[in-house]
């Protein structure tokens, strides 16, 4: 897999039916290793090991309804009170992050109401803080660490 712009992490791999799998410690199972999954797993490790978010507050690949459409978010980090702290949208490294990507995560956030947004393709990372009063987001240098 491609080298990403994240610190180096160690992962568990295996093959099944000639497909490479990577262990997802949040879902506690092996999943097919696609380019987007490679980014997602790096991002999860980054949140746990560098931003110090507890694994118990991280959720991966769950369904949500946006305007009566079924969608799936990549990563959500909860606050201890159950509200949503952060939504992460992961793209494959070969996908250019553009306005459509930000529109996608903003649509998800209409339902989820997260305080922070992160968009990454593993190479470029963008962080935003929501301003619900002004109905906009402000770009940040990085997302805050867990308090």
């Amino acid at each position: 897999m491609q080298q990403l712009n994240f610190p180096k992490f160690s992962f568990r791999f295996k093959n099944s039916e000639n497909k490479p799998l990577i262990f997802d410690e949040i879902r506690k199972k092996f999943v097919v290793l696609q380019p987007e999954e490679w980014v997602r797993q790096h991002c999860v490790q980054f949140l746990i090991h560098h931003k110090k978010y507890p694994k118990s507050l991280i959720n991966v690949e769950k369904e949500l309804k946006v305007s009566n459409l079924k969608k799936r978010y990549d990563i959500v980090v909860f606050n201890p009170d159950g509200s949503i702290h952060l939504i992460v949208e992961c793209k494959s490294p070969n996908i250019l992050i553009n306005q459509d990507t930000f529109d996608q995560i903003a649509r998800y956030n209409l339902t989820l109401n997260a305080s922070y947004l992160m968009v990454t393709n593993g190479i470029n990372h963008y962080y935003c803080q929501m301003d619900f009063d002004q109905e906009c987001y402000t770009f940040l240098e990085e997302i805050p660490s867990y308090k």
Side-chain angles (χ1 to χ4, degrees):
M1 281 277 134
Q2 180 176 348
Q3 179 72 34
L4 301 178
N5 186 17
F6 280 108
K8 290 217 186 291
F9 300 109
S10 58
F11 296 100
R12 291 173 46 202
F13 300 98
K14 75 176 187 179
N15 281 306
S16 177
E17 299 175 9
N18 292 324
K19 291 181 186 165
L21 305 176
I22 187 169
F23 189 76
D24 180 325
E25 67 179 273
I26 302 301
R27 291 179 276 184
K28 295 181 173 47
K29 66 179 184 178
F30 281 93
V31 294
V32 176
L33 180 56
Q34 300 285 349
E36 183 178 311
E37 190 64 44
W38 184 237
V39 173
R40 185 170 25 253
Q41 292 306 315
H42 275 79
C43 192
V44 166
Q45 295 303 310
F46 171 74
L47 293 170
I48 293 168
H49 297 289
H50 288 269
K51 293 299 179 178
K52 304 301 183 196
Y53 288 100
K55 283 191 258 186
S56 61
L57 296 179
I58 300 174
N59 206 308
V60 175
E61 281 269 296
K62 294 286 185 191
E63 188 175 279
L64 74 147
K65 283 197 173 176
V66 178
S67 303
N68 292 325
L69 298 172
K70 289 182 181 181
K71 301 290 184 181
R72 291 182 82 78
Y73 61 71
D74 286 308
I75 302 169
V76 162
V77 178
F78 292 93
N79 290 306
D81 68 3
S83 62
I84 297 179
H85 178 71
L86 169 70
I87 305 171
V88 182
E89 179 61 30
C90 300
K91 297 294 184 190
S92 173
N94 62 344
I95 301 293
L96 183 66
I97 295 175
N98 58 23
Q99 188 62 48
D100 290 342
T101 313
F102 287 100
D103 291 347
Q104 177 184 2
I105 199 168
R107 278 192 306 277
Y108 290 0
N109 206 31
L110 290 173
T111 300
L112 299 174
N113 296 314
S115 303
Y116 295 91
L117 308 176
M118 176 180 175
V119 176
T120 181
N121 62 4
I123 308 302
N124 299 300
H125 317 297
Y126 300 94
Y127 312 103
C128 305
Q129 182 173 15
M130 292 304 302
D131 181 337
F132 291 104
D133 293 333
Q134 300 296 317
E135 296 182 346
C136 65
Y137 45 80
T138 304
F139 283 92
L140 305 171
E141 290 293 316
E142 60 182 273
I143 53 170
S145 295
Y146 186 72
K147 295 171 182 58

